[in-house]
Amino acid sequence: RKIGIHAEDISTRKRFLSAVKGILGVLFSARLLTLLCVFFRDILFQLRILREDFSRWLMHMLIFWGFTLLLLMHALDGMITAELFPDYASTINPYMFLRDIFGIMVILGVAIAIYRRYVIKVPGLRSVAMDHYAILIVALIMISGILLEGTKITSYSRFQEMVQDYA
């Protein structure tokens, strides 16, 4: 299908049906194995980046897996983690420890990104405003999460709520 201003005559319904047809065509074909290989090799493990530069790969892996695991273990804990682990409680170990480890992974990845981009200035690395924004927004999300957790730890009223709930 055409896209952009040259595709004004194609309806949303036709676009949607074409997308579904294409997805089903790949899922129920011999190309499924190729799709799975590409998914694991290039998306989950990013082996192409590993072949180019180890520090870049490590940065990507730390940010990607740290953020993904934080999303699954923290943001979606009620839907995913609680369903997988029947005795799950976000305030006990090992779950709290895992969230801290995943947060540290993201922070290390962001630190590597900052180091590569601003300190050693990797040759051939071009920066645009969106690169700076992405690093900033991920760093702010992580720092705000750490500050929120620290505030909860030191909060007397939060402690009293936990005493009421768990005593």
Side-chain angles (χ1 to χ4, degrees):
R1 295 284 181 196
K2 297 176 186 175
I3 60 171
I5 60 173
H6 304 292
E8 291 174 348
D9 58 329
I10 300 173
S11 69
T12 303
R13 182 177 182 277
K14 283 184 181 178
R15 289 173 190 263
F16 179 76
L17 291 175
S18 292
V20 170
K21 182 180 173 186
I23 290 169
L24 292 176
V26 170
L27 290 179
F28 297 108
S29 73
R31 294 182 290 176
L32 179 62
L33 185 60
T34 303
L35 179 70
L36 288 173
C37 287
V38 168
F39 176 73
F40 282 98
R41 190 179 58 231
D42 292 341
I43 296 173
L44 293 182
F45 300 112
Q46 301 180 12
L47 295 179
R48 191 168 31 105
I49 295 173
L50 177 60
R51 282 186 229 111
E52 294 172 10
D53 183 6
F54 177 77
S55 68
R56 181 173 165 221
W57 175 81
L58 181 62
M59 171 192 68
H60 280 252
M61 288 290 95
L62 289 170
I63 294 172
F64 173 75
W65 282 110
F67 220 89
T68 300
L69 293 169
L70 270 176
L71 178 71
L72 297 175
M73 290 286 298
H74 183 60
L76 301 175
D77 66 346
M79 293 184 288
I80 295 177
T81 313
E83 295 296 322
L84 291 174
F85 305 103
D87 296 331
Y88 173 76
S90 65
T91 57
I92 63 171
N93 280 325
Y95 308 108
M96 190 182 307
F97 174 73
L98 288 173
R99 285 196 327 248
D100 291 342
I101 290 294
F102 301 149
I104 289 169
M105 286 171 60
V106 176
I107 290 170
L108 283 173
V110 169
I112 293 171
I114 291 169
Y115 180 74
R116 285 174 45 87
R117 190 164 302 274
Y118 304 112
V119 177
I120 62 172
K121 298 178 182 172
V122 174
L125 182 63
R126 291 174 282 135
S127 294
V128 294
M130 289 302 292
D131 298 333
H132 305 295
Y133 177 73
I135 291 171
L136 179 67
I137 199 73
V138 171
L140 286 175
I141 289 169
M142 298 312 301
I143 291 168
S144 67
I146 292 168
L147 292 174
L148 177 62
E149 185 174 346
T151 303
K152 284 182 178 180
I153 289 170
T154 61
S155 170
Y156 179 75
S157 59
R158 182 75 173 136
F159 175 76
Q160 290 302 322
E161 284 177 29
M162 290 193 309
V163 168
Q164 292 285 333
D165 291 344
Y166 299 108

